[in-house]
Amino acid sequence: MSKISVITTTHNAGIFLKECIDSIYSQTYTDYEHIIVDDGSTDESLKFLNITPYKKVRIISPGKVGRAKALNIGLSESVGEYIAILDADDI
C-alpha cells in the first residue's frame, strides 16, 4: 500500500499531462501511487495515457462525469494513507 495517493483529473489537458506526470516522477519521495481520472477527454489525453510508460500511474476512464465526481472516483480507488490532488495543468 502506498503512503500517498496523488489524484489527477483531466479533461482535454493532453498538452500538460507529460509535464504533470514528470513532475511527480521527479520527486525524491517514491512511496506513492498516481491515479489519473480522465473525465471524457476528446483530445489526445487518453491516447497518451494508454501508452504512457510510467509504472505508478493508474488510469481510470469513467466518461464525462464532471470534475467533482471524477475526484470522488479517484478517492474511492485510492489506497494511500494521505491524499494529494494535482491538477493536470499543474507541475
Side-chain angles (χ1 to χ4, degrees):
M1 174 165 77
S2 300
K3 184 81 167 180
I4 298 174
S5 294
V6 179
I7 300 171
T8 300
T9 59
T10 182
H11 178 74
N12 293 338
I15 62 171
F16 303 110
L17 284 174
K18 182 177 182 335
E19 193 172 17
C20 172
I21 296 169
D22 284 346
S23 74
I24 297 292
Y25 267 74
S26 69
Q27 302 299 311
T28 56
Y29 188 81
T30 59
D31 189 14
Y32 68 89
E33 65 174 344
H34 191 181
I35 300 169
I36 300 178
V37 183
D38 181 71
D39 185 24
S41 293
T42 57
D43 66 356
E44 298 293 313
S45 296
L46 201 52
K47 181 178 178 181
F48 168 76
L49 291 171
N50 284 325
I51 62 168
T52 186
Y54 303 99
K55 300 213 183 313
K56 290 191 174 196
V57 171
R58 187 160 31 122
I59 303 155
I60 302 168
S61 183
K64 184 71 174 130
V65 294
R67 185 168 188 267
K69 186 160 185 160
L71 280 171
N72 284 328
I73 290 168
L75 283 169
S76 70
E77 293 289 324
S78 66
V79 296
E81 183 177 346
Y82 299 101
I83 302 294
I85 296 173
L86 177 71
D87 291 335
D89 61 350
D90 289 344
I91 56 168

